[in-house]
Structures are given as C-alpha cells and as structure tokens.
C-alpha cells in the first residue's frame, strides 16, 4: 500500500496531529530537516492554475533537500497531444518518489492513484476536496488559537464549489466541541454529503448577524470557473464582502482566514487588522507540506553534522571526564585552529605536536 493522500480520511486523526505537530517543529528549527529528502524527487502535475499550493509544495521539497519535476501548464506536455490522465500520471510516477496533483475533475487524483507507482497527494480535485489546504488551516488554528477544539467557525461564500471548505469541515468535525455556521446564498450552500454527518451546524444569511459570535471566520472566493454560465456566476459575485464595518462587530480574538486567492470578498482595508491572518496562513502551508512529505516518505531525518574536525593518527583526548574514555567505539576527533587541537566532544585543548 502506498501512502496516498486523496482525502484526509486516508490518514488517521492521530496522523493529522502528527503532521501538524511536525509542521510546528519544522517551523521552529527548519535547518534540522534541510537534508531529509536528499536524492528524492517530487513530481508536481498541475492541470489547473495554482500559486500557493504549487509553490509551497515545491518550496517545501527544495527546503527538505529534494528536487522537483513537473508541469503547471499541461498544454506544454503530452496532455496536449491527447495523452490520457492514466498514462501521464503513470509515467511521471516512475520518475518521482512522491507526486502532487491538481486537476479540474472530482475524483481524478484518486483515479491516478490506482495506477501510480509512487504516493500521490491531492492538491485539489475540481470542486471536491483539498486536503492539504485543510492541513494548512489546522496548523494555522493550532498556532493562532492554540487548539483545534471548541471553536465556532463561520464559513462564508461559495460553499458549494469551494473544495477547501469541504475538506475543512470534514476534518474539524472530528474534533470535540466545534460548531459551524454556513453563510451563503441558497444556490451556493454546503453539499449534503458534508452536512449529513455533522452534528452542530446552522445556516446564516448575513455576516452581520453572526460575526460577533465567531472564533474563526473563513472567507472563500466564488469559484467562477465551476459555474455553467457567466450569468449564473454574476448573480452570486459580490454578495458577501468583509469590510472594516463588519469586522468591527467581531470578537477581539476572532481570526479571519481565507485559502486565497481573494477577489473582492475581503476588502483590502481589512488586511491591516491584526485579526486578518490569511497571508500568515499561506506561509504555514509550506511547513505543513514539508511535514506531510516527510511523513509520506517515512522520512529519515539526517541530523545536522555535529562533527567538523578530523581524526589525527595517534592523537587522543586525555581528559578523564570526556565521553571518549568510556564510549570506546567513538573516534578521537579534533578541530584544528592555529596549531591548537580542540576535542570535538569535551573541548579540551592540546597543542598540535610538531
Ligand atoms: C483554493 C483552491 O485552489 O481551491 N486555493 C488554494 O489552494 N489556496 C481556493 C480558491 O481557488 O478559491
């Protein structure tokens, strides 16, 4: 079995926590992990536009010491010649140790996983799911709210086609005490396959009526590319806009998130409010993706190189309290500077014998 991540449910809840905790650790000490994926290659196949997801994955792999191949413009690949999804993904999976794929059709990444020769990560399949955005959101909540439980989360905008919120609600409903308020038009409501397994949720028509009760406000873009006609889209566009007037009714410890890109659903003036965390959220995404790559590849963290000196024939550390006297398998190693030798372990010095 390969460790594919198509839906967050492919992993256990304790594995989600493991990824988030590792993301935090990486953020605190990124240099420890900088060679963890040396020699590994990540293939990124983006059949749909992307800035954050694609670049944060690429940056994550480069920061782990690995390499990247792939395309973000399928028309410059054999897709343009009519190659099937199966053939392209099968081929690239043979060149890669791990693959990340975004595609406009729901279920496409799962389909690719059936024949892929390496683990594959869903970076968004149509209007369906986007599990790594959810890991990003969870790391953001952990860092900024200190918890993933007992949160009242308002989700506003395109709940029908917005894949990020489908994955988000599925995941956060597994943590104790969370409740959801879905703020959307009738046409863009949360699909029933998400709501039917939820316990604590209700709908709201306007941001004004509910913003004061929320711990988290998650804004989303109306997904123009998923509408069947421009007319239909235009009826929905600009219905919910978070501006300073509305935000002023929010709690002092409310946080405002958005997977980005934003159009006009968050007024620019809101960016300067300390509760607006969407750019920070995008940054957290890189660390959580580093953690995910490591966990999927069953990483072998190469510790930072501690020893910088060298072994000198016949020269030994004589400090009786040095670990070298008891751990006899260790080699006596010294750093040399201006004719002075310093033991790597206890820092006892001796003159370089002439
Ligand atoms: C989202 C997506 O692609 O689903 N963006 C992202 O990955 N950060 C949201 C969107 O496009 O509106």
């Amino acid at each position: 079995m390969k460790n594919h991540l198509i839906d967050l449910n492919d992993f256990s809840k304790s594995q989600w926590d493991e990824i988030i905790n590792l993301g935090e650790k990486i953020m605190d000490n990124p240099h420890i992990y900088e060679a963890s994926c040396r020699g590994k290659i990540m293939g990124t196949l983006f059949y749909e536009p992307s800035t954050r997801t694609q670049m944060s994955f690429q940056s994550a792999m480069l920061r782990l010491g690995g390499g990247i191949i792939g395309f973000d413009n399928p028309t410059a690949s054999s897709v343009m010649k009519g190659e099937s999804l199966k053939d392209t993904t099968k081929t690239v999976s043979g060149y890669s140790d791990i693959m990340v794929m975004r595609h406009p059709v729901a279920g496409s990444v799962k389909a690719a996983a059936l024949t892929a020769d390496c683990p594959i990560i869903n970076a968004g399949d149509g209007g369906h799911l986007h599990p790594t955005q959810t890991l990003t959101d969870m790391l953001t909540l952990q860092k900024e709210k200190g918890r993933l439980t007992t949160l009242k989360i308002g989700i506003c905008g395109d709940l029908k086609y917005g894949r990020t919120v489908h994955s988000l609600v599925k995941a956060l409903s597994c943590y104790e005490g969370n409740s959801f308020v879905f703020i959307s038009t009738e046409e863009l409501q949360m699909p029933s396959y998400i709501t039917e397994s939820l316990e604590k949720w209700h709908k709201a028509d306007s941001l004004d009526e509910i913003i004061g009760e929320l711990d988290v406000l998650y804004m989303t873009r109306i997904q123009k590319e998923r509408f069947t006609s421009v007319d239909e889209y235009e009826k929905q566009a600009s219905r919910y806009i978070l501006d300073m007037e509305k935000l002023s009714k929010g709690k002092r410890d409310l946080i405002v998130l958005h997977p980005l890109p934003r159009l006009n659903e968050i007024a620019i003036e809101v960016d300067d409010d300390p509760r607006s965390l969407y750019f920070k959220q995008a940054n957290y995404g890189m660390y959580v993706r580093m953690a995910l790559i490591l966990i999927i590849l069953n990483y072998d963290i190469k510790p930072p190189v501690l020893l910088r000196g060298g072994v000198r024939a016949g020269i030994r550390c004589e400090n009786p309290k040095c670990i070298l006297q008891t751990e006899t398998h260790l080699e006596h190693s010294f750093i040399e500077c201006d004719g002075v030798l310093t033991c790597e372990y206890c820092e006892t010095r001796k003159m370089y014998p002439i």
Side-chain angles (χ1 to χ4, degrees), residues 156 181 183-184 204-214 217 219 239-251 254:
C156 178
V181 186
I183 310 142
S184 75
D205 289 331
S206 79
L207 266 172
D208 284 288
E209 76 185 72
I210 199 72
I211 193 165
E213 294 174 27
L214 302 176
L217 173 59
M219 296 295 294
R239 294 279 279 270
Y240 294 97
I241 296 179
L242 178 68
D243 54 19
M244 273 321 287
E245 196 192 326
K246 292 197 182 71
L247 186 57
S248 66
K249 299 184 183 123
K251 291 196 229 170
L254 167 74

Side-chain angles (χ1 to χ4, degrees), residues 4 57 78 83 95 147 158 166 178 201 233 264 296:
H4 303 298
F57 261 118
S78 287
E83 186 170 52
Y95 305 149
R147 65 186 200 276
D158 189 343
H166 302 157
N178 289 331
W201 67 281
Y233 166 72
N264 63 350
I296 289 186

Side-chain angles (χ1 to χ4, degrees), residues 133-191:
Q133 179 63 45
T134 296
L135 291 170
T136 300
D137 303 338
M138 287 159 83
L139 176 59
T140 309
L141 293 175
Q142 185 61 46
K143 287 293 278 181
E144 301 295 333
K145 298 295 288 179
R147 65 186 200 276
L148 295 172
T149 55
T150 61
L151 293 166
K152 186 158 186 172
I153 305 141
I155 305 187
C156 178
D158 189 343
L159 313 189
K160 179 177 180 188
Y161 298 120
R163 54 193 171 196
T164 62
V165 296
H166 302 157
S167 292
L168 182 67
V169 173
K170 276 173 110 179
L172 289 183
S173 63
C174 299
Y175 290 84
E176 214 187 305
N178 289 331
S179 60
F180 303 93
V181 186
F182 298 136
I183 310 142
S184 75
T185 61
E186 276 302 298
E187 293 82 355
L188 296 183
Q189 283 183 48
M190 191 62 87

Side-chain angles (χ1 to χ4, degrees), residues 9 15 37 49 75 86 125 164 201 210 225 227 232 250 255 275 279 326:
N9 286 334
Q15 284 173 308
C37 285
T75 61
K86 175 175 180 248
D125 60 328
T164 62
W201 67 281
I210 199 72
E225 65 276 31
F227 283 76
E232 289 305 308
I255 63 169
R275 292 170 288 184
F279 290 110
T326 48

Side-chain angles (χ1 to χ4, degrees), residues 48-50 52-53 102 123-124 126 129-130 133 161-164 220-223 225-226 258-262 265 289:
E48 264 194 345
S50 173
R52 276 148 290 269
T53 307
R102 169 173 286 188
L129 295 171
H130 193 346
Q133 179 63 45
Y161 298 120
R163 54 193 171 196
T164 62
T220 63
R221 174 180 70 92
I222 307 298
Q223 308 278 297
E225 65 276 31
R226 316 247 180 255
H258 191 308
L260 302 176
R262 129 198 63 193
E265 59 278 3
R289 289 179 172 113

Side-chain angles (χ1 to χ4, degrees), residues 51-61 282 285-286 289:
T51 301
R52 276 148 290 269
T53 307
Q54 182 189 197
M55 291 191 196
S56 64
F57 261 118
Q58 293 179 339
S59 171
M61 192 52 161
M286 182 181 72
R289 289 179 172 113

